[in-house]
Amino acid sequence: MKLLHKMVAPAMVAAMMAVPAAGWADMVRHITVTGEGVVAATPDMATISLGVQQMADTPEIAMMQTAQASQAVVSRLKMMGIAEADMQTSNLSLHQVENYDRNNQPRIEGYRASNSLRVQVRDLDQLGPVLTAALQDGANNFGGLSFGLSEPRPAQDQARQTAMKDALAKAALYAESAGVELGNVVSISEAGSHDVPMPMMRMEMAVGSDMAVEAGELSLNQQVTVVLELK
């Protein structure tokens, strides 16, 4: 067995040395760079999360009161031009509420039912009035607000083009610094994209008026990884 090991090791070394120098050069003569593209866009729609929560002595009453309040909110939103397709129930729950007495014994306080609604507002001029109306008509939970684009593809493609230009510029800079020339593109892979709301949103509400909301801008970020040959 020891003799076999002694014979195999020199054979492997000889095989590695037999690879032409050009072959080793071909294996390593490439460069990999990652480019980033960022595009600012003005949002034209918003998504809000509203909720109705009611507590009662029995689960049936809690669910009934929640359903009635939710229906009132939905009806009001429809009257304001929100389409049914832009409203979706995102969560429906019922919980038993307990408390503890002086003897640390559990005691049922009642039942809490909640219904969360996800609403898309495609006319941002209506966003403030929609929020105000929903809160006035029974929504007592506000889960958040986000802005977006109804047609994000043009802005995303612009970010992709910017990312590609950035990657090629980096590759050219590295190649020039190293004293080599760039060759053909070997591969292109998209590393991912995401939308980042820029910190330009303001929400406030004065007594007797609609909530004021400023959409600001969205920042669309795209990354691409490019592999190029080196001459």
Side-chain angles (χ1 to χ4, degrees), residues 55-59 61-62 108-111:
M55 185 170 173
D57 293 334
T58 66
I61 295 178
I108 298 177
E109 294 288 337
Y111 297 86

Side-chain angles (χ1 to χ4, degrees), residues 52 68-77 79 131-140:
V52 174
Q68 291 174 346
S70 299
Q71 186 57 49
V73 172
V74 170
S75 297
R76 181 67 177 273
L77 294 179
M79 291 177 59
L131 286 170
T132 301
L135 295 175
Q136 290 176 346
D137 279 27
N140 51 16

Side-chain angles (χ1 to χ4, degrees), residues 93-113:
S93 63
L94 176 67
H95 299 286
Q96 179 176 285
V97 180
E98 294 183 351
N99 203 348
Y100 291 86
D101 58 22
R102 295 180 179 179
N103 298 322
N104 202 30
Q105 295 298 316
R107 180 181 60 193
I108 298 177
E109 294 288 337
Y111 297 86
R112 181 180 291 114

Side-chain angles (χ1 to χ4, degrees), residues 115-169:
N115 185 8
S116 298
L117 188 67
R118 182 174 176 269
V119 181
Q120 290 185 330
V121 181
R122 300 186 182 277
D123 182 2
L124 291 184
D125 291 336
Q126 286 291 314
L127 181 56
V130 164
L131 286 170
T132 301
L135 295 175
Q136 290 176 346
D137 279 27
N140 51 16
N141 277 340
F142 179 65
L145 163 67
S146 63
F147 292 97
L149 300 172
S150 57
E151 296 292 340
R153 185 61 182 268
Q156 290 173 344
D157 287 346
Q158 185 179 351
R160 290 185 175 100
Q161 292 175 339
T162 303
M164 190 64 185
K165 291 179 181 178
D166 182 49
L168 295 177

Side-chain angles (χ1 to χ4, degrees), residues 50 73 163 183 230-231:
L50 301 170
V73 172
L230 292 177
K231 295 181 180 179

